[in-house]
Amino acid sequence: MATATNRMLGHLGDSVERLEDPPLVTGKGRFVGDINFPDQLHMRIVRSDHAHGKIKSVDTSAAEAVPGVVAVWTTTDIDDVPPIDFREGSDPTLALFRQYALARELVRYVGDPVAAVFAEDPYTAEDAAELVTINIEPLPVLINADDDPQDFKGKATTEAAVVEQGYGDIDETFASAYKVVEVDVKVSRHTGVPMECRGAIGRYDEARDVLEMYGAAKVPHRNRDTLCRMLNRPASGMHLFEGHTGGGFGIRGELYPEDVLVCVAAMRLRRPVKWIEDRQEHLMAANHSRQQRHIIRAAVAEDGEVVGLDDELYLDQGGYIRTHGTRVANMTTGTLPGPYRFPVYRSICHFRLTNKTPAATYRSPGRCESTFVRERLMDAVAVAMDMDPIAVRRRNLISLEEMPYGRALDVLGDSVEHDPGDYAGLLDQGLAQIGWDDLQKQLAERRANGEMVGAGISMFFEKSGLGPSDGAKIFIDNSGFIEVVTGGASIGQGFETAMAQIAAEDLGTDYRRIRVVHGQTNRIDYGVGAHASRATVLTGTAVSLTAQAVRAKALDMAAELLQTTADTLTITDGVVHSKDNPTGPSLTLGEIAEALMPTSKLLGGREPYLKGEEWFHIDHQTYPYGHHIAVVKVDPDTGGVEIEKYFIAYDIGRSINPMMIEGQLVGGLAQGVGGALFEEFTYSEAGDPQAVTFADYLMPTLKETPDPEILLTEDFPSIRTPLGIKGAGEAGITGAAGAIASAIDNAIGIPGAVTETPVSPQRLKKILSEHGK
Amino acid sequence: MSDKKDITLTVNGRDHNVAVDPRWTLADVIRDHCGQTGTHLGCEHGICGACTVLVDDTPVRSCLMFGVQADGKKIRTVEGLANGDEYHPLQKAFMENHALQCGYCTPGFLMLATGILEAQPDISDDDLNEVLSSNLCRCTGYANIIKAVRAARDEMKAAS
């Protein structure tokens, strides 16, 4: 590794400016809407305006008669295209609940695609789409996942699955408990809502028999594999291309009906087909997330130890099961115990379909929901036991001595094993930094003076770096320029910068001399994309291992040319020289690359080119951890909540770029605040979505978003990765709702008042008036 | 469809003669007919501000204005901010302060801030927050956007 004396700009731990930024601040980004191909058609989707019903007929004749319309499709035009399959492969138990690209026989939510119009320009496509008439015979609408399940196609019920996880004897533990504390807690339906709506362009290169899709994001390689399976194409004849992506958050880049349609249409209509979503569509068609109701009980011992946890939850999956299958149910039940010991545990998830937009993952899926629920319960335990909320948590935290701490729980096929970490130690550091005891005194004084102010805490553990493997390639050309090719994805998180910093560390160059390729399935066979906070952990480690291999090759070749041994050499700013004599004989990486060309007489028995490809295999995910503390002020007249102060403590293991990590935490928190206080997809009893514009779906602006104080520690590098890296993408959001709810309870002096998010002014006014406040 | 109307838009100093449908939005005309795709559409109903451009030096949501309404007007978009290879102080400040992640809302914030700092070089922090709260960002949590715009304001003031 580079030593302190020869550090170039942009090595590990440096908060350097991002490689991504120059094109983005000058308008040179290439987002999907910016990409066009000659002769392209524009697609517009006609969507169901019924939440549930039988499709009696679809009349496309008026639309087809519009000049400029090339085709109008319904499901009968693509009856050979199977429903959209699961990312992790086929699952016969869930297959029935998958969504067709265009609705077949039934519509199951408002927004369900029923027809597709293809026209010469987008305005014409939209005009014609309005002329398609859909005749639907309404069926009973199911809005609440905790109501009785209904029939599903005469073959099953809407309870698509029951996911249960746990360990230990629940009945005995609760029968002998000193006290049992129960809460009934709801998380609202909300989702990622990136600023860029979705988009996709299908293009079929008939000459080469290659089908291409532009506008891919998040998991281009996985979606390529699914599309190949669905459309019966070889992997070499199907390529996905990621451009700039205007935010991901888990929802962008999954394989949606529209993505399948542009691909199929490009092949059959023999012209490129472009689809750009509008915001109204986005809010009723892109994945929703989060909606769960938990009825959860804690069995508590006399000293405040929670000896058992028993949870039953209803997950509102919406109209179909999309690419994730039951992953959110799995992550919720697998991570609910969080940072606490809980020696006996059971969670039963009723995974149920309703007649709303299909749901899937949104930043911190499962952990966001379960952390809110668990931390609400911990506050309730504190009240029931007449204990301090911090003391109750401390009593139950897994200790450093018990680490690594395994549990008989599964998270995405990985048995949970907590990385070593000092949960209580970080709590001490956090409370000291924020001055918790003084804060309590100040808040008590202000409450005594009539103000509704309070503080709350939420503790959590995160997961990151889901395996099993990822690879990377590095190629250095004879000018010395370095290309790092990955199967990762860039959704705005700074992927290119992080990978370049990691590669620069071992290649001894400035990070700005490195081009990072991602999201192009024709450049590398395999890729994990960007999700589950895995890009830096998994792809970053693969890049590091590859850079080490390329460095070794460069030094080996240089040693021969400089008539010395490799161990006497190092690389500084792209130049190989003697460690002892930096100004002595030297070679640039470009000169070494030249010596390694296939025709080079100096090649000897070596493989040609200054390049490498290495893989990283991880046996367990990494489990970073932290806590959030919120201080809020409630306005009893309006029901408004003002966040006066916010604090996040997080152990990252090892920082690549602290500036970007803090950016992830602050940005995640803004979304957490949205979920806690504002964002909610509400529906009428008939299943009509009531939040389909930004006037109804309220996202935080600058005025509602706190600028948090952050304590970023590197006390416990992960034992799972050679660099000690843990992920950073989700910790900013995970603890937010729990901390804010706890602070609101404290501010209004009503323990356990908040049982549902978002804590909108209406909900808070109702709570206050019910308690005579 | 309706008859087209010939208009002239001056975008970043260059005249574009475009035959437009009266219903085409200014955003679509700038993107699809003047080739300047740096202006982004986030909601097409005037709330998110991603499509903010300057029309005769005033910040305007280009999704809420028709192209024909901008006939003869001077439009400035993010592509016109830098002076050759030299970044505008706001562009520099956004990069230095990590005020962007995915970069989709960034052109709108840059043009909004440019308009307000040109009109009110001495604008207070509070008033700046008021103005900047009219655009949405989903990645950054805004803190770094505020820092960047304040830094640019101070630099622009010192340079003037």
Side-chain angles (χ1 to χ4, degrees):
Chain A
M1 295 213 178
T3 60
T5 50
N6 68 0
R7 284 172 76 91
M8 278 65 61
L9 192 57
H11 287 266
L12 297 187
D14 292 349
S15 286
V16 290
E17 286 182 32
R18 301 194 324 160
L19 296 175
E20 289 85 348
D21 290 353
L24 294 173
V25 299
T26 51
K28 297 190 182 82
R30 294 282 284 159
F31 295 90
V32 61
D34 307 337
I35 296 167
N36 293 294
F37 293 102
D39 204 32
Q40 72 190 6
L41 292 169
H42 296 265
M43 180 176 80
R44 177 76 183 177
I45 300 297
V46 185
R47 299 179 183 279
S48 172
D49 56 4
H50 281 72
H52 193 199
K54 272 192 188 127
I55 303 173
K56 305 298 285 183
S57 63
V58 184
D59 184 354
T60 59
S61 56
E64 283 164 350
V66 173
V69 170
V70 170
V72 184
W73 284 1
T74 66
T75 195
T76 54
D77 295 285
I78 51 165
D79 59 4
D80 57 331
V81 177
I84 297 170
D85 213 356
F86 304 113
R87 199 212 278 155
E88 301 303 316
S90 301
D91 182 342
T93 64
L94 302 175
L96 176 67
F97 305 100
R98 293 172 301 174
Q99 182 173 20
Y100 285 96
L102 291 172
R104 196 163 292 185
E105 295 170 21
L106 295 177
V107 291
R108 293 203 35 87
Y109 63 98
V110 172
D112 202 344
V114 177
V117 176
F118 304 93
E120 299 288 346
D121 72 85
Y123 282 81
T124 304
E126 195 165 340
D127 286 344
E130 289 182 8
L131 301 176
V132 174
T133 50
I134 308 169
N135 182 5
I136 286 175
E137 178 186 313
L139 290 169
V141 172
L142 182 59
I143 291 299
N144 300 312
D146 49 358
D147 287 346
D148 290 339
Q150 291 182 0
D151 170 72
F152 188 90
K153 295 187 175 176
K155 296 173 185 162
T157 75
T158 51
E159 183 163 277
V162 176
V163 176
E164 179 172 346
Q165 296 209 59
Y167 45 78
D169 189 332
I170 283 286
D171 293 337
E172 191 192 306
T173 305
F174 276 80
S176 60
Y178 172 74
K179 202 171 257 189
V180 173
V181 180
E182 178 175 313
V183 296
D184 182 344
V185 174
K186 289 177 184 166
V187 182
S188 80
R189 178 172 270 257
H190 58 285
T191 194
V193 194
M195 290 313 299
E196 182 196 27
C197 289
R198 294 176 298 146
I201 306 169
R203 180 177 179 235
Y204 179 53
D205 182 343
E206 222 172 320
R208 295 185 301 137
D209 186 26
V210 175
L211 179 59
E212 302 176 338
M213 194 192 93
Y214 296 79
K218 183 181 177 179
V219 282
H221 283 83
R222 308 307 297 271
N223 287 350
R224 189 263 306 263
D225 296 345
T226 307
L227 282 166
C228 286
R229 212 160 63 230
M230 289 175 60
L231 304 180
N232 197 22
R233 292 196 65 78
S236 60
M238 173 93 234
H239 283 301
L240 269 60
F241 301 97
E242 173 197 41
H244 281 109
T245 302
F249 316 124
I251 78 152
R252 176 74 195 278
E254 284 299 328
L255 192 64
Y256 287 98
E258 298 86 354
D259 302 315
V260 176
L261 284 168
V262 296
C263 289
V264 174
M267 290 198 74
R268 300 194 181 172
L269 302 176
R270 310 259 155 164
R271 291 172 69 177
V273 176
K274 180 172 182 173
W275 173 71
I276 298 295
E277 182 180 54
D278 70 29
R279 186 56 69 183
Q280 188 176 8
E281 289 184 286
H282 181 87
L283 293 171
M284 65 169 83
N287 285 342
H288 285 186
S289 196
R290 296 281 197 260
Q291 191 163 17
Q292 296 182 357
R293 177 187 174 197
H294 290 246
I295 297 153
I296 186 167
R297 302 185 297 153
V300 192
E302 200 167 354
D303 66 351
E305 184 188 4
V306 177
V307 291
L309 199 66
D310 186 20
D311 175 49
E312 184 160 28
L313 78 119
Y314 301 88
L315 187 154
D316 183 340
Q317 171 56 27
Y320 301 97
I321 303 181
R322 282 182 169 168
T323 46
H324 291 90
T326 55
R327 284 166 87 87
V328 176
N330 167 267
M331 284 186 274
T332 304
T333 54
T335 63
L336 180 60
Y340 308 112
R341 200 173 295 105
F342 299 154
V344 173
Y345 169 67
R346 176 174 71 184
S347 178
I348 302 170
C349 173
H350 299 273
F351 186 85
R352 290 180 175 176
L353 273 63
T354 58
N355 296 115
K356 297 189 280 192
T357 300
T361 58
Y362 165 34
R363 196 177 201 169
S364 191
R367 287 92 77 202
C368 218
E369 300 90 327
S370 66
T371 295
F372 175 68
V373 170
R374 178 189 66 243
E375 295 301 303
R376 288 281 68 202
L377 181 67
M378 293 306 278
D379 279 353
V381 170
V383 172
M385 300 299 292
D386 196 22
M387 284 175 76
D388 179 81
I390 302 282
V392 164
R393 287 173 168 83
R394 228 189 263 285
R395 176 68 190 81
N396 288 284
L397 287 173
I398 301 165
S399 69
L400 179 56
E401 291 70 34
E402 295 167 279
M403 303 280 187
Y405 187 81
R407 289 192 213 262
L409 293 177
D410 172 271
V411 174
L412 305 180
D414 183 30
S415 68
V416 175
E417 191 169 300
H418 292 237
D419 276 89
D422 188 357
Y423 299 170
L426 185 63
L427 178 62
D428 290 338
Q429 287 183 65
L431 294 175
Q433 181 162 331
I434 200 169
W436 179 257
D437 294 338
D438 285 345
L439 179 67
Q440 293 302 313
K441 281 180 208 142
Q442 291 161 15
L443 293 171
E445 276 172 31
R446 288 174 65 189
R447 282 194 295 270
N449 289 328
E451 280 189 277
M452 282 188 174
V453 287
I457 188 167
S458 167
M459 300 190 71
F460 60 92
F461 85 135
E462 255 300 335
K463 60 164 215 60
S464 67
L466 176 66
S469 305
D470 200 17
K473 297 184 198 176
I474 293 179
F475 183 90
I476 304 183
D477 68 20
N478 59 5
S479 75
F481 196 87
I482 299 164
E483 187 175 62
V484 175
V485 183
T486 73
S490 174
I491 45 178
Q493 80 278 44
F495 178 81
E496 293 173 23
T497 305
M499 295 306 120
Q501 285 186 250
I502 290 169
E505 181 76 18
D506 288 303
L507 295 174
T509 59
D510 189 304
Y511 78 119
R512 290 168 298 188
R513 296 271 298 166
I514 297 173
R515 178 199 301 275
V516 177
V517 175
H518 48 82
Q520 315 297 309
T521 62
N522 63 346
R523 293 299 314 277
I524 191 166
D525 296 326
Y526 180 85
V528 299
H531 63 115
S533 297
R534 73 202 304 189
T536 307
V537 178
L538 224 59
T539 314
T541 304
V543 167
S544 175
L545 296 174
T546 307
Q548 288 169 33
V550 172
R551 177 190 180 90
K553 187 167 186 181
L555 295 185
D556 170 66
M557 183 77 241
E560 182 176 315
L561 298 173
L562 297 172
Q563 297 181 341
T564 179
T565 54
D567 60 352
T568 66
L569 298 172
T570 189
I571 315 176
T572 308
D573 208 10
V575 176
V576 176
H577 60 84
S578 161
K579 283 177 187 167
D580 302 329
N581 182 14
T583 57
S586 66
L587 286 166
T588 66
L589 287 173
E591 287 167 337
I592 297 167
E594 182 69 34
L596 285 165
M597 295 293 270
T599 53
S600 168
K601 291 189 170 55
L602 304 166
L603 190 60
R606 298 176 184 87
E607 287 287 310
Y609 292 116
L610 183 49
K611 67 172 186 175
E613 175 172 3
E614 296 293 331
W615 286 80
F616 174 56
H617 309 280
I618 195 166
D619 51 356
H620 280 290
Q621 300 181 73
T622 68
Y623 292 97
Y625 59 93
H627 56 268
H628 286 200
I629 293 171
V631 180
V632 307
K633 179 176 178 176
V634 170
D635 180 338
D637 294 329
T638 65
V641 176
E642 181 196 341
I643 299 170
E644 291 191 343
K645 189 179 176 74
Y646 207 94
F647 176 79
I648 300 173
Y650 191 55
D651 192 273
I652 188 69
R654 179 159 186 194
S655 299
I656 306 301
N657 183 321
M659 175 190 81
M660 298 201 307
I661 294 166
E662 293 196 3
Q664 287 298 308
L665 295 176
V666 178
L669 172 61
Q671 291 187 309
V673 168
L677 296 177
F678 306 107
E679 297 175 33
E680 183 172 22
F681 290 112
T682 54
Y683 283 81
S684 73
E685 282 181 15
D688 296 313
Q690 295 169 324
V692 293
T693 73
F694 282 162
D696 309 301
Y697 189 83
L698 303 177
M699 304 202 298
T701 76
L702 173 160
K703 286 196 150 181
E704 293 79 38
T705 307
D707 182 4
E709 187 176 329
I710 291 171
L711 170 63
L712 188 65
T713 61
E714 297 180 283
D715 294 341
F716 289 90
S718 173
I719 58 170
R720 311 288 177 205
T721 63
L723 291 172
I725 303 169
K726 300 189 275 196
E730 302 171 276
I733 196 170
T734 309
I740 291 168
S742 181
I744 292 171
D745 278 5
N746 186 231
I748 62 180
I750 308 170
V754 174
T755 58
E756 187 173 6
T757 59
V759 192
S760 62
Q762 296 89 329
R763 285 205 177 103
L764 192 45
K765 283 289 283 181
K766 187 159 172 276
I767 290 168
L768 291 169
S769 75
E770 281 168 2
H771 289 81
K773 294 205 178 193
Chain B
M1 291 306 107
S2 45
D3 292 331
K4 288 203 163 48
K5 184 174 176 349
D6 291 320
I7 63 166
T8 300
L9 296 184
T10 309
V11 183
N12 302 322
R14 183 174 145 207
D15 286 350
H16 294 262
N17 300 312
V18 189
V20 297
D21 264 5
R23 64 175 178 166
W24 290 354
T25 65
L26 176 59
D28 283 349
V29 175
I30 291 170
R31 288 176 50 81
D32 299 339
H33 302 276
C34 302
Q36 306 295 296
T37 55
T39 299
H40 297 153
L41 288 162
C43 70
E44 295 178 271
H45 55 270
I47 293 181
C48 78
C51 66
T52 303
V53 300
L54 299 180
V55 177
D56 288 343
D57 301 328
T58 302
V60 162
R61 301 196 164 194
S62 61
C63 73
L64 289 187
M65 188 171 184
F66 292 114
V68 288
Q69 293 175 291
D71 187 14
K73 296 198 190 303
K74 192 181 79 171
I75 317 286
R76 286 157 69 196
T77 69
V78 68
E79 287 94 338
L81 261 191
N83 181 8
D85 287 339
E86 194 186 325
Y87 290 116
H88 187 280
L90 274 163
Q91 291 172 317
K92 206 150 62 75
F94 266 60
M95 292 192 281
E96 287 170 358
N97 289 282
H98 188 28
L100 64 150
Q101 288 182 25
C102 80
Y104 197 78
C105 72
T106 309
F109 270 102
L110 286 170
M111 298 320 290
L112 176 68
T114 300
I116 200 69
L117 292 183
E118 286 178 1
Q120 300 179 55
D122 295 313
I123 188 168
S124 69
D125 287 353
D126 282 351
D127 288 349
L128 207 48
N129 284 359
E130 190 70 37
V131 172
L132 295 175
S133 70
S134 55
N135 279 19
L136 290 174
C137 168
R138 196 61 165 165
C139 293
T140 65
Y142 303 103
N144 288 343
I145 294 178
I146 303 172
K147 282 174 205 152
V149 178
R150 286 180 186 172
R153 174 197 59 195
D154 297 344
E155 191 192 324
M156 288 163 74
K157 227 163 51 179
S160 64

